[in-house]
């Protein structure tokens, strides 16, 4: 089975812009979670989608949003980018819930 | 808010030595997972422990879940350079995943040949 794929792998944006990141889960996995990883804070949970519905949400501002499509692919959007949004954004899929997560390689976002 | 504290933060040892990494919390977790992450990649799941007191072995790696399901340890025997990486523990709360997985900040492990 193919693993979790994320595009793009690297991205450079300017403050105030918006960005959309994409994630394709492992075939058959219906749950997709997004995490932000920074050196200072480690991995922090953003949100989880299951069957096109946001099921859980972490403690991030409303500038961070996401959606899931009928084929389980997911996108994450960050609007009005801030310097502090520079991070590795990781997508993880699982069969049905938060449980055992299978991570993609991440998208490295740099905000200048 | 559930927190997981990992120790040590950094560890550099010689090939062939043994080591233990700790993951502690004041909260109870329904399960706990260990991941290894290499530079430029996402974390890779190593093991999941569910039952208090559970011990799982994966070749030279031994994972233990505390009796009260608040802490865990990872022991590596005869470490090899290929074990180098960031080791992360992650707990699933008893709230059915409402807060996603809670991750520790990780232990950066370097095994020198």
């Amino acid at each position: 089975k193919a693993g979790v794929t994320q595009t793009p792998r690297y991205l450079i944006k300017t403050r105030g812009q918006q960005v959309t990141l994409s994630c394709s889960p492992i075939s058959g996995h219906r749950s997709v979670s997004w995490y932000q990883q920074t050196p200072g804070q480690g991995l922090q949970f953003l949100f989880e989608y299951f069957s096109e519905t946001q099921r859980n949400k972490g403690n991030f501002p409303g500038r961070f949003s996401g959606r899931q499509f009928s084929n389980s692919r997911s996108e994450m959007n960050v609007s009005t980018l801030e310097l502090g949004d520079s991070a590795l954004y990781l997508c993880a899929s699982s069969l049905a819930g938060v449980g055992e997560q299978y991570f993609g390689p991440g998208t490295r976002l740099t905000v200048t | 808010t559930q927190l997981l504290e990992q120790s040590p933060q950094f560890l550099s040892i010689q090939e062939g030595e043994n080591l233990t990494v700790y993951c502690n919390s004041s909260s109870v977790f329904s399960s706990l997972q260990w991941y290894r992450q290499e530079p430029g990649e996402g974390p890779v799941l190593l093991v999941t422990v569910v039952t208090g007191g559970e011990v799982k072995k994966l070749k030279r790696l031994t994972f233990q879940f505390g009796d009260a399901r608040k802490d865990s340890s990872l022991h590596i025997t005869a470490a090899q350079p290929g074990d180098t990486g960031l080791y992360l523990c992650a707990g699933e709360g008893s709230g059915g995943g409402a807060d996603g997985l809670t991750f520790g900040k990780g232990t950066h492990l370097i095994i020198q040949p």
Side-chain angles (χ1 to χ4, degrees):
Chain A
K1 269 187 181 178
V4 178
T5 58
Q6 291 187 246
T7 56
R9 291 292 308 273
Y10 303 92
L11 207 48
I12 300 175
K13 290 286 189 178
T14 304
R15 265 184 306 175
Q17 288 185 317
Q18 75 165 15
V19 66
T20 299
L21 313 181
S22 181
C23 170
S24 293
I26 291 172
S27 178
H29 285 194
R30 297 169 65 189
S31 171
V32 173
S33 297
W34 288 89
Y35 295 83
Q36 181 195 66
Q37 186 176 30
T38 59
Q41 298 300 318
L43 270 100
Q44 293 184 286
F45 173 69
L46 281 157
F47 30 65
E48 184 221 355
Y49 284 86
F50 182 84
S51 293
E52 302 178 65
T53 300
Q54 186 182 88
R55 194 160 60 172
N56 298 304
K57 189 177 191 304
N59 190 25
F60 277 81
R63 299 185 297 106
F64 292 82
S65 64
R67 59 178 176 168
Q68 187 180 33
F69 301 95
S70 58
N71 61 358
S72 293
R73 191 177 70 85
S74 178
E75 288 182 346
M76 190 192 95
N77 184 274
V78 188
S79 62
T80 319
L81 284 165
E82 301 177 359
L83 293 178
D85 297 333
S86 294
L88 181 67
Y89 289 88
L90 292 159
C91 161
S93 75
S94 64
L95 275 171
V98 172
E100 295 184 345
Q101 308 263 291
Y102 295 86
F103 284 85
T107 294
R108 172 73 62 184
L109 172 64
T110 302
V111 183
T112 62
Chain B
T1 303
Q2 297 177 311
L3 293 173
L4 277 169
E5 300 284 343
Q6 283 190 246
S7 61
Q9 273 188 285
F10 299 93
L11 186 58
S12 179
I13 62 172
Q14 295 293 125
E15 181 177 1
E17 293 184 3
N18 302 330
L19 67 110
T20 301
V21 173
Y22 299 94
C23 176
N24 295 297
S25 177
S26 58
S27 303
V28 175
F29 291 96
S30 59
S31 71
L32 199 136
Q33 300 160 30
W34 284 91
Y35 293 81
R36 183 172 75 201
Q37 185 177 21
E38 298 187 27
E41 299 297 328
V44 175
L45 179 66
L46 296 174
V47 78
T48 300
V49 285
V50 178
T51 306
E54 183 177 2
V55 177
K56 279 192 174 179
K57 291 193 175 183
L58 185 67
K59 297 182 181 178
R60 295 176 293 99
L61 279 60
T62 301
F63 304 85
Q64 185 162 7
F65 201 12
D67 291 341
R69 291 185 288 133
K70 292 182 179 181
D71 54 83
S72 181
S73 64
L74 157 61
H75 182 80
I76 300 179
T77 303
Q80 298 177 2
D83 296 327
T84 293
L86 175 65
Y87 287 82
L88 296 156
C89 64
E92 181 176 3
S94 51
D99 297 322
L101 285 179
T102 299
F103 278 84
K105 291 191 177 181
T107 293
H108 293 266
L109 176 63
I110 297 173
I111 309 300
Q112 301 181 29

